[in-house]
Amino acid sequence: MTLNGLAFQYVTALEQWPAIPYLMPLPGFVLGLILPSPGQYIARGPHWLAVLLLILLLTVEQFAWFAMPVAVRADLFWLLPFGDVLSALIVGVMLARLGKARSRDAFGHAGWAFLQMLPLLNLPLLLTASREGTEGQRRLLPSWDLPAAAVMVMGISLVVMNKGMAAVLETRLEPVIAEASQELVFSDHFLRYQIEARGLPSVIAEVAAGQPDPLLVEPGHRILKVEARGSALHIFHELDEPEAEELDAAYRRALISDTCSGLAWLLESGGTVARHFARKHDGWEFEVLNIRNEDCLV
């Protein structure tokens, strides 16, 4: 599987498990707890602001997904999930470092740093004042140790900015991707990623399930149903011609050309399109076109 196929699996997992973005910093956080760090301290005000800023930076990184149409067209879709993973890893490490510094400052040791990633349970880490006798220790972000009112204003501002940016992502990103999905290059590349991630039979089954039955092609000609059978897509045509026994040669060539154009992703992935033609009045199937990718190269 290619990197783009893995990227498609990542996007699918996000849709199925919305909690994944909140868990992604955990590996970096665990790594940060394990890695040795200098015996630094941080007061509760600078600690709170730093945590909020890191969360905001994770949200800002999500704006890279507005470049998804460009990335897919360039066949570099994998760069977007890579950015998510890398930024979450870095933020996780930084959260661990901040947690250890805050634990030292509040409790005299780094043992309570793990509370950093536990909602509500992290309140002692956030709210406990600095222990006496820590004034001369090396500190992280000493210039951020501001009066409580200033810290509160700055913290609320960071929360509001984060909420605002999240709202922009929620309302504006989906229309951008939906518009790009109408482009042939984008949709072909994305289908290829889907095939790499899930396999051709699964994608063909999904396409077949999404086709309306019946579908009027032209007067006297309709598609009754579309079925998926492994790596083959079977399309069942019905004609009103009671004497039909075979397709006109020119019409057959046009059908093959249209299939090669409209279902190129399927054929190029090794699949087959079988077009079944039957007469309406007696249901007799008089011709089957089995179209493969090599038929498109003639």
Side-chain angles (χ1 to χ4, degrees):
M1 184 184 301
T2 66
L3 291 174
N4 287 321
L6 289 173
F8 182 87
Q9 284 190 328
Y10 169 80
V11 172
T12 302
L14 288 180
E15 293 174 351
Q16 296 174 345
W17 305 95
I20 287 179
Y22 302 98
L23 300 176
M24 284 177 61
L26 276 178
F29 184 76
V30 173
L31 179 63
L33 292 180
I34 296 173
L35 290 175
S37 61
Q40 293 177 316
Y41 292 65
I42 188 169
R44 55 185 173 180
H47 170 257
W48 184 52
L49 294 178
V51 169
L52 291 178
L53 182 60
L54 288 174
I55 294 172
L56 178 63
L57 291 176
L58 281 180
T59 302
V60 170
E61 188 275 332
Q62 291 297 297
F63 277 78
W65 284 89
F66 280 101
M68 180 176 171
V70 176
V72 172
R73 292 189 205 106
D75 220 14
L76 295 172
F77 178 51
W78 62 272
L79 284 174
L80 299 177
F82 177 77
D84 283 1
V85 173
L86 182 61
S87 59
L89 181 68
I90 294 172
V91 166
V93 171
M94 294 304 297
L95 285 172
R97 183 179 177 187
L98 288 169
K100 288 193 285 187
R102 180 82 267 268
S103 181
R104 290 190 193 98
D105 183 64
F107 308 112
H109 56 81
W112 293 108
F114 71 93
L115 294 176
Q116 184 87 287
M117 297 297 289
L118 301 177
L120 297 182
L121 294 179
N122 63 355
L123 289 178
L125 204 62
L126 293 171
L127 301 178
T128 303
S130 301
R131 296 174 71 248
E132 293 184 3
T134 63
E135 295 80 4
Q137 301 293 338
R138 290 182 300 168
R139 291 191 169 272
L140 291 172
L141 306 174
S143 61
W144 291 20
D145 197 359
L146 305 171
V151 170
M152 185 62 64
V153 170
M154 292 177 64
I156 293 175
S157 298
L158 289 171
V159 171
V160 171
M161 288 175 61
N162 187 59
K163 293 292 184 182
M165 290 185 174
V168 170
L169 287 167
E170 186 175 348
T171 58
R172 298 189 181 181
L173 181 57
E174 187 173 345
V176 170
I177 296 174
E179 181 179 354
S181 66
Q182 304 303 313
E183 302 174 12
L184 182 60
V185 173
F186 181 95
S187 58
D188 282 354
H189 282 192
F190 215 67
L191 270 170
R192 177 160 51 83
Y193 306 156
Q194 190 174 356
I195 291 168
E196 292 171 359
R198 297 171 51 192
L200 183 59
S202 174
V203 176
I204 291 177
E206 185 175 320
V207 169
Q211 297 300 311
D213 299 330
L215 176 65
L216 181 66
V217 179
E218 58 188 356
H221 177 194
R222 67 199 61 84
I223 294 176
L224 294 181
K225 62 179 178 178
V226 178
E227 290 184 357
R229 300 176 185 174
S231 296
L233 183 69
H234 291 258
I235 305 172
F236 294 86
H237 299 254
E238 182 184 70
L239 302 178
D240 289 345
E241 295 290 337
E243 303 299 327
E245 293 185 354
E246 65 176 352
L247 296 173
D248 177 77
Y251 189 59
R252 186 185 295 111
R253 286 195 299 271
L255 278 170
I256 294 174
S257 178
D258 289 346
T259 303
C260 290
S261 175
L263 293 170
W265 61 269
L266 188 157
L267 299 172
E268 291 172 357
S269 299
T272 302
V273 178
R275 292 188 177 272
H276 302 252
F277 291 86
R279 303 187 306 210
K280 180 181 180 181
H281 80 287
D282 60 4
W284 180 53
E285 186 175 277
F286 60 87
E287 187 163 346
V288 179
L289 286 178
N290 287 301
I291 305 169
R292 296 176 174 82
N293 193 49
E294 50 265 32
D295 298 318
C296 304
L297 306 177
V298 178

